[in-house]
Amino acid sequence: MLNKHIKYFFVLTSILFCFSLALKAEQQEYSKRIVVAHRGAWKTNNLPENSIASLKQAVALGIAGSEFDVRMTADDSLVINHDASFHNLEIEKSKYSQLLAFSLSNEEKIPTLRSYLLAGLLPRNNTKLVCEIKPSEVSRERSLVIAQRVVSLIKALKAQDKVVYISFEYAILKRVLELNPKANTQYLYGDKTPDELKADGIKGLDYNLSVYKSHPEWIESAKKNRLQLNAWTVNDAADMDWLLANGFDLITTNEPELLSIRANLSPVSNGLKLVWSDEFNQAGSPDSTKWGYNLGNGQDGWGNQEKEYYTNRIDNAFVKDGLLNIKAKKENYKGYGYTSARVVTENKFAFTYGTIEVSARLPIGVGTWPAVWMLGANIAKVNWPACGELDIMELKGSEPNKS
Ligand code: MG
């Protein structure tokens, strides 16, 4: 049960409103610190991925970073391309001159790493160049040669402070660090804990979103280890909101414009900090460290003449596919004709003041009354209604169009 006094809620809202204009400039900066365009900002203007035009668009947006993929030709030219092949030519087995027979959809030739870096090393450009070194499909040794040549070129162009190195191949990042111990390196594969990365001198995690959903504890661990937190490739607004709320340093996306909007809307951009959440990622019963139950029927159906008996059975409350399901059933149970569930954070989490976000899909139909609400944490001592109540949402199933 949550303790919150309505009077102070309005006071807090007024204060936030007064400062909202002052915060606006800072919010814009906030989005620019977060967004990394995946293979450049190509989508909105229908540019080819990994083109110099897509890099220039990311720079024009003023975002935190623009990602690109580096491969090496048979004659040791470093070029920018995601796939191992370019117009059916296997890059590692082709000469650079052979690749020039073809163009990207905007008539650019396949960019070299040198031309790509020079396009991003403009004065007053704060967009980091997020350089993914693709492992060689020929040999581990060749992967390390590619890493060495990339680091050498970046050093020659004095671009060390502008580049973030990322790779799925751990040995590539370790070689980068041997050559430049200060290099900003982020690992992509998702199989190393933050402690392991820290021990090896890697500077950050850039893992698939699903890795963080299955290992939410790595988020805190990364922060404790002062590792940069980045996630790929995040194109859905709800996923963006979740990563923003969890204080990620960077988010890699094909939708840099959408992410900029979500970042500026996020409570985090106003200095708020996430203190509790449940994304319902573990299937089965609700997480018992976060949720308990009201059981039975209460007095007079909890004061509402309710006809159901509330249980803690998985039949009535279960987590599946990232959602908490609360299921009312028509069945005979302990003298009642229906069952359902009331899940509560009582004695597990309470707070005073803050912002709450709940996303829920509601049933309709006579007899249903889904609701999300808060009660004072002192309810066990003073009982309801003295503990106070704040309703977030109630819907009478018989009146589905009334809010
Ligand atoms: Mg990439």
Side-chain angles (χ1 to χ4, degrees):
M1 301 290 172
L2 310 174
N3 181 17
K4 199 152 183 277
H5 195 291
I6 196 160
K7 180 181 166 194
Y8 291 107
F9 177 76
F10 284 123
V11 170
L12 186 66
T13 305
S14 307
I15 292 168
L16 286 175
F17 179 74
C18 292
F19 284 98
S20 63
L21 286 177
L23 285 165
K24 207 166 182 183
E26 200 177 309
Q27 282 177 8
Q28 284 167 348
E29 288 306 310
Y30 179 73
S31 71
K32 288 179 179 177
R33 289 203 304 268
I34 300 286
V35 181
V36 177
H38 180 237
R39 303 178 198 166
W42 50 271
K43 196 168 177 187
T44 300
N45 294 331
N46 201 26
L47 299 168
E49 299 175 16
N50 273 318
S51 60
I52 287 178
S54 69
L55 167 64
K56 285 183 173 171
Q57 180 58 23
V59 171
L61 291 173
I63 54 179
S66 186
E67 188 262 0
F68 55 93
D69 304 293
V70 181
R71 295 185 177 276
M72 192 162 78
T73 62
D75 54 351
D76 295 352
S77 286
L78 297 168
V79 295
I80 310 303
N81 200 64
H82 176 264
D83 295 344
S85 295
F86 181 67
H87 287 271
N88 292 325
L89 288 173
E90 214 175 317
I91 290 173
E92 280 202 278
K93 296 189 177 158
S94 304
K95 290 185 176 176
Y96 174 61
S97 57
Q98 292 176 278
L99 303 180
L100 292 178
F102 300 96
S103 300
L104 305 178
S105 63
N106 66 344
E107 304 304 320
E108 273 182 46
K109 295 298 179 188
I110 188 168
T112 62
L113 176 61
R114 175 182 289 274
S115 65
Y116 210 87
L117 291 170
L118 289 173
L121 290 173
L122 303 173
R124 293 191 298 280
N125 166 31
N126 292 319
T127 303
K128 295 265 191 204
L129 304 167
V130 183
C131 174
E132 177 176 355
I133 303 177
K134 290 287 188 191
S136 168
E137 292 176 6
V138 175
S139 68
R140 167 68 64 85
E141 288 68 30
R142 197 162 196 274
S143 291
L144 301 182
V145 170
I146 297 172
Q148 188 166 345
R149 291 179 64 84
V150 171
V151 171
S152 294
L153 179 58
I154 286 167
K155 189 176 176 193
L157 294 176
K158 296 190 169 45
Q160 293 101 315
D161 294 341
K162 295 283 288 188
V163 171
V164 179
Y165 295 91
I166 60 175
S167 188
F168 282 94
E169 178 72 59
Y170 206 59
I172 285 179
L173 294 181
K174 291 183 90 169
R175 173 54 61 92
V176 168
L177 285 171
E178 282 167 19
L179 298 164
N180 176 9
K182 290 185 179 168
N184 186 343
T185 45
Q186 297 177 3
Y187 183 46
L188 292 170
Y189 194 68
D191 60 335
K192 301 271 187 193
T193 66
D195 287 344
E196 288 172 312
L197 296 177
K198 183 72 176 183
D200 285 331
I202 306 293
K203 307 291 194 296
L205 309 70
D206 183 3
Y207 288 169
N208 186 277
L209 171 67
S210 63
V211 175
Y212 298 111
K213 297 250 168 144
S214 358
H215 290 286
E217 74 281 7
W218 286 5
I219 298 172
E220 271 317 300
S221 172
K223 289 177 185 172
K224 272 188 198 140
N225 279 306
R226 297 182 179 276
L227 296 170
Q228 276 211 307
L229 272 166
N230 189 349
W232 57 273
T233 301
V234 184
N235 303 321
D236 177 77
D239 291 332
M240 292 172 181
D241 292 350
W242 182 76
L243 293 165
L244 289 163
N246 278 283
F248 271 60
D249 302 294
L250 298 164
I251 300 173
T252 304
T253 180
N254 291 335
E255 307 280 358
E257 297 88 354
L258 173 64
L259 178 55
S260 296
I261 292 168
R262 299 312 303 180
N264 287 336
L265 286 173
S266 171
V268 176
S269 72
N270 278 335
L272 296 179
K273 193 170 181 291
L274 184 69
V275 293
W276 187 96
S277 71
D278 195 344
E279 307 305 319
F280 303 111
N281 290 315
Q282 306 293 332
S285 291
D287 182 348
S288 62
T289 65
K290 294 179 176 174
W291 299 102
Y293 300 85
N294 285 155
L295 299 174
N297 183 258
Q299 202 173 23
D300 189 25
W302 302 100
N304 304 310
Q305 299 97 47
E306 296 174 30
K307 295 186 174 177
E308 64 269 51
Y309 190 97
Y310 289 105
T311 85
N312 57 3
R313 301 175 310 163
I314 201 163
D315 309 53
N316 295 113
F318 59 93
V319 174
K320 188 184 171 195
D321 299 332
L323 298 171
L324 168 65
N325 295 262
I326 294 179
K327 189 171 183 179
K329 297 181 80 173
K330 188 174 190 303
E331 60 179 334
N332 290 320
Y333 190 84
K334 300 201 175 182
Y336 292 82
Y338 302 88
T339 58
S340 187
R342 290 163 71 111
V343 296
V344 296
T345 62
E346 188 175 7
N347 299 326
K348 295 180 189 281
F349 178 73
F351 75 102
T352 309
Y353 313 135
T355 292
I356 300 156
E357 292 185 4
V358 180
S359 176
R361 194 166 69 174
L362 312 174
I364 56 171
V366 175
T368 62
W369 192 356
V372 182
W373 72 104
M374 299 182 288
L375 297 173
N378 58 351
I379 187 172
K381 281 188 191 153
V382 302
N383 221 329
W384 184 91
C387 64
E389 173 176 335
L390 278 177
D391 296 332
I392 297 173
M393 183 283 305
E394 289 188 29
L395 180 79
K396 276 194 169 178
S398 56
E399 300 175 331
N401 297 318
K402 273 194 185 175
S403 59

